[in-house]
């Protein structure tokens, strides 16, 4: 079963995304505000089953944000708080 964890949460802007999933390939990270507007989009490569990705929200206003993690066709949305 896939496991995606984002920590620390809340954070002052730097997060770690831990993905425990057999998928290998492109990971798309999309950060949105609560209204759904896209604030940031980054592509990363996943090369191991358990992988940690560092993610920064520098330059983005504080508040509740939605982080969409796409592994191929699978999509997971995590609610994060920037202090």
């Amino acid at each position: 079963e896939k496991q995606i964890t984002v920590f620390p949460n809340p954070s002052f802007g730097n997060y770690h995304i831990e993905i425990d999933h057999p998928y290998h390939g492109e990971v798309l990270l999309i950060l949105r505000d609560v209204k759904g507007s896209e604030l940031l989009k980054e592509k990363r490569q996943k090369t191991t089953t358990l992988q940690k990705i560092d993610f920064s929200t520098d330059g983005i206003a504080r508040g509740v944000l939605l982080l969409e993690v796409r592994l191929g066709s699978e999509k997971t949305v995590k609610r994060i708080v920037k202090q």
Side-chain angles (χ1 to χ4, degrees), residues 10-23:
S11 167
F12 290 104
N14 292 313
Y15 298 87
H16 304 291
I17 304 164
E18 194 172 86
I19 303 170
D20 188 357
H21 191 286
Y23 171 85

Side-chain angles (χ1 to χ4, degrees), residues 15-75:
Y15 298 87
H16 304 291
I17 304 164
E18 194 172 86
I19 303 170
D20 188 357
H21 191 286
Y23 171 85
H24 287 59
E26 187 176 274
V27 176
L28 186 60
L29 305 172
I30 303 171
L31 190 67
R32 302 179 192 276
D33 63 19
V34 289
K35 294 177 186 169
S37 298
E38 189 176 295
L39 304 173
L40 188 68
K41 183 187 276 188
E42 289 185 17
K43 288 181 182 177
R44 303 289 180 91
Q45 287 298 314
K46 185 170 179 301
T47 57
T48 59
T49 298
L50 177 60
Q51 185 155 341
K52 193 159 88 173
I53 298 172
D54 294 325
F55 184 75
S56 173
T57 59
D58 287 349
I60 292 171
R62 293 182 297 183
V64 176
L65 303 167
L66 301 173
L67 177 62
E68 182 178 313
V69 181
R70 286 192 194 172
L71 306 175
S73 61
E74 289 187 35
K75 179 173 87 170

